[in-house]
Amino acid sequence: MSDYPLFQLGKPRFDQNTFFGRFRHFLDVIDPSTLFVSERRLRDSVELLHRFKEGTLPPGVTNEQLEKHDNKLWKAQKIKQAIIHPDTNEKILMPFRMSGFVPFGTPVVVGLLLPNQTLMSTIFWQWLNQSHNACVNYSNRNASRPNATSSFVYGYLGAVTSAVSIAVGLNVLIQRAKRFSPTTRVLVQRFVPFPAVASANVCNVVLMRWSELSEGISVLDQSGNVVGTSRVAAKYALTETALTRIVLPMPILVLPPLIMANLEKLPLLQGYPRLVLPVHALVCLASFAFALPLAISLFPQTSQISVEKLEAEIARAADCKIVYYNKGL
């Protein structure tokens, strides 16, 4: 038997309750090969999925074929989900698709981690990073219900402000630190982007989802039925998401400085300093490509909580001891 399950429309291909399942799922999500899918293949994929939904599949697509690694339906769903927004049914612009996050985001990461940055370059790269993140978040937002544009604007402005303030502030403090040698100062400065980006991520998620604390979020039973709307669960979800946003950029912004600090000691790079930038870019690309799915896969998007910790009306309405909620990412 194959490791691949029978096709389920709209469902992930791999088990989301395990780290390995989530890792394989997110490898599909960020696969940049879907950026090169032609219009004809996209139309064919959408049509194939529509026929499956209507029960009118063409000859040759059977359950036996679905056990194969290269089956048509899983590929069609991967292509559609990578390009078409599930709520608006409109194409997502290529730079803002999840499959474009690594190729279009790598130049920004390279810029963030450049050594010996000036005040203006620090501000520029932090602004560009938060602008790219904001566009990706908005393009892939949950559009199943109306969202105030102001929440995205506030989240964006808060993220830019916090990122730039912390990055500039830390760089100034490092420059004024008399105990640091010039070499140590350059090394420490390379790690400044991580706390700046992590704090901006937290600021962004708090500002964009602040209304959830007063309105609450849906909690579900094991069958997926809505039990109620809980402000307590919203508090847990917001806290967990904020912690996730701190951990996610860690391998992407911490590994390259550590690797480059050792590579720059090699005679090759010391003898040919012009190679430092392209090597730096390759290290950032590799770290981004491999660390991103690993970091995202650490945390399941659905969490559980005892009904005893929730509001009394939900505890009375629930027929179970444990309920579930989507904490987001």
Side-chain angles (χ1 to χ4, degrees):
M1 290 293 291
S2 170
D3 291 334
Y4 298 92
L6 293 182
F7 179 75
Q8 291 180 288
L9 187 64
K11 299 293 185 181
R13 187 172 191 170
F14 307 104
D15 183 8
Q16 297 300 286
N17 293 318
T18 66
F19 169 79
F20 189 57
R22 293 192 297 271
F23 177 69
R24 296 173 82 181
H25 169 68
F26 283 114
L27 282 179
D28 272 353
V29 170
I30 68 169
D31 182 2
S33 67
T34 57
L35 296 173
F36 306 100
V37 170
S38 65
E39 287 289 337
R40 180 178 178 178
R41 190 177 182 191
L42 174 61
R43 287 195 301 269
D44 291 344
S45 298
V46 173
E47 176 64 20
L48 181 62
L49 293 172
H50 177 71
R51 289 187 178 185
F52 176 85
K53 184 178 180 180
E54 298 297 320
T56 57
L57 279 177
V61 182
T62 63
N63 277 348
E64 287 74 18
Q65 286 182 313
L66 296 178
E67 295 183 4
K68 299 180 180 179
H69 174 69
D70 59 344
N71 68 77
K72 296 179 180 179
L73 282 171
W74 281 122
K75 282 189 173 182
Q77 178 159 275
K78 174 181 174 179
I79 289 171
K80 182 184 177 183
Q81 290 180 341
I83 301 173
I84 305 295
H85 193 287
D87 299 324
T88 65
N89 285 320
E90 297 178 354
K91 288 179 65 176
I92 301 172
L93 292 176
M94 190 180 293
F96 309 138
R97 298 173 191 169
M98 288 307 299
S99 55
F101 197 57
V102 171
F104 288 99
T106 296
V108 181
V109 174
V110 173
L112 283 171
L113 297 175
L114 288 174
N116 299 316
Q117 295 209 36
T118 64
L119 175 63
M120 291 308 299
S121 67
T122 298
I123 294 174
F124 171 76
W125 288 113
Q126 290 292 343
W127 165 79
L128 186 61
N129 179 55
Q130 294 306 323
S131 298
H132 179 245
N133 289 343
C135 290
V136 171
N137 290 338
Y138 185 79
S139 298
N140 296 276
R141 70 195 183 282
N142 183 342
S144 60
R145 60 180 182 178
N147 290 296
T149 305
S150 59
S151 65
F152 289 97
V153 174
Y154 292 148
Y156 169 66
L157 293 177
V160 171
T161 302
S162 60
V164 170
S165 300
I166 291 177
V168 171
L170 288 176
N171 276 324
V172 170
L173 289 175
I174 293 169
Q175 289 291 343
R176 293 180 178 179
K178 298 180 180 180
R179 295 182 179 180
F180 290 158
S181 65
T183 303
T184 303
R185 185 176 288 111
V186 170
L187 179 62
V188 173
Q189 280 182 316
R190 285 182 163 180
F191 293 96
V192 167
F194 169 64
V197 171
S199 63
N201 288 348
V202 173
C203 184
N204 178 273
V205 71
V206 170
L207 289 174
M208 288 186 64
R209 296 176 57 180
W210 185 258
S211 60
E212 293 181 7
L213 295 177
S214 57
E215 299 173 3
I217 60 173
S218 298
V219 290
L220 316 171
D221 61 20
Q222 195 168 7
S223 300
N225 302 312
V226 177
V227 176
T229 303
S230 171
R231 292 185 297 275
V232 176
K235 183 179 179 181
Y236 278 95
L238 198 60
T239 302
E240 292 170 5
T241 304
L243 292 174
T244 301
R245 294 286 187 93
I246 293 173
V247 175
L248 285 182
M250 186 180 295
I252 301 167
L253 297 176
V254 172
L255 286 179
L258 290 173
I259 295 172
M260 286 305 299
N262 289 283
L263 290 181
E264 288 173 359
K265 297 176 183 178
L266 297 176
L268 177 63
L269 294 186
Q270 289 183 347
Y272 299 93
R274 290 184 179 180
L275 292 177
V276 172
L277 184 57
V279 170
H280 176 61
L282 288 174
V283 169
C284 289
L285 175 61
S287 298
F288 205 175
F290 290 106
L292 180 63
L294 284 171
I296 300 175
S297 304
L298 289 174
F299 306 97
Q301 289 191 271
T302 301
S303 297
Q304 63 182 43
I305 187 173
S306 170
V307 294
E308 297 177 355
K309 296 181 179 179
L310 302 180
E311 293 85 345
E313 59 270 22
I314 294 179
R316 288 193 296 268
D319 294 329
C320 50
K321 295 182 179 180
I322 299 292
V323 292
Y324 304 86
Y325 59 90
N326 190 332
K327 68 181 180 65
L329 188 62

